[in-house]
Amino acid sequence: MAPLVQPERNKTWSEADHLFMSKALELARHAQAQGEVPVGAVLVYGGEIIGRGWNRPILSNDPTAHAEIEALRKAAAHAGNYRLPGSTLYVSLEPCVMCAGALVNARVERLVFGARDLRFGAVRSKFRLADSDRLNHRVCIAEGLLAAEAAELLAAFFKDRRDRE
């Protein structure tokens, strides 16, 4: 099932938001070129990208090698701390349960994602994990930035896979 394309609900997207989401989409295309599900992520602190990631669980034989986790690992290494307060993660697809939990544990301040993931999305579609009032940290969530482009990448990837089968 293709992800739901949501309109850009946040009418106050900054130029930086567009720039960083475009970088995440570039990484999603990189994942796609490697035969991975096209999801890309960048983690930004102080206007600088300190972590980048793209899906690579197939090539790495690692079920945790999601774009968000890869970006968080690199950002934490860069910061010298597993907590990343004041940071923003830009990701082309709504995070899953594992990734949403990692965002909370890392104390990421803000999440900006493109397309919703109706099957596995854990911040809006299936659950509202990242900003749950039951947790000690809540991530500020903005959705829908460049959602159509992100959804098109995913739809083309899965269509190509179905056509090959």
Side-chain angles (χ1 to χ4, degrees), residues 64-100:
T64 69
H66 290 196
E68 301 94 326
I69 300 297
E70 296 294 307
L72 285 168
R73 286 176 178 154
K74 290 173 183 161
H78 178 272
N81 194 335
Y82 73 101
R83 295 221 170 129
L84 301 163
S87 65
T88 299
L89 182 78
Y90 294 85
V91 62
S92 55
L93 183 65
E94 178 182 6
C96 69
V97 170
M98 173 183 69
C99 294

Side-chain angles (χ1 to χ4, degrees), residues 31-152:
Q32 182 177 27
Q34 295 182 341
E36 299 277 0
V37 175
V39 180
V42 296
L43 194 126
V44 175
Y45 180 78
E48 175 188 349
I49 296 174
I50 63 170
R52 290 175 171 78
W54 57 88
N55 269 13
R56 54 182 208 83
I58 297 167
L59 290 174
S60 65
N61 293 313
D62 179 357
T64 69
H66 290 196
E68 301 94 326
I69 300 297
E70 296 294 307
L72 285 168
R73 286 176 178 154
K74 290 173 183 161
H78 178 272
N81 194 335
Y82 73 101
R83 295 221 170 129
L84 301 163
S87 65
T88 299
L89 182 78
Y90 294 85
V91 62
S92 55
L93 183 65
E94 178 182 6
C96 69
V97 170
M98 173 183 69
C99 294
L103 294 174
V104 171
N105 284 324
R107 307 298 194 266
V108 169
E109 181 176 321
R110 182 174 177 238
L111 165 67
V112 178
F113 72 89
R116 280 193 177 191
D117 184 346
L118 296 179
R119 292 181 61 206
F120 300 107
V123 297
R124 288 296 177 259
S125 297
K126 293 287 186 192
F127 306 102
R128 296 181 78 86
L129 184 62
D131 59 352
S132 171
D133 60 2
R134 294 179 176 184
L135 301 175
N136 63 335
H137 175 75
R138 288 172 204 80
V139 179
C140 177
I141 298 168
E143 69 170 290
L145 179 58
L146 302 179
E149 188 174 341
E152 287 169 15

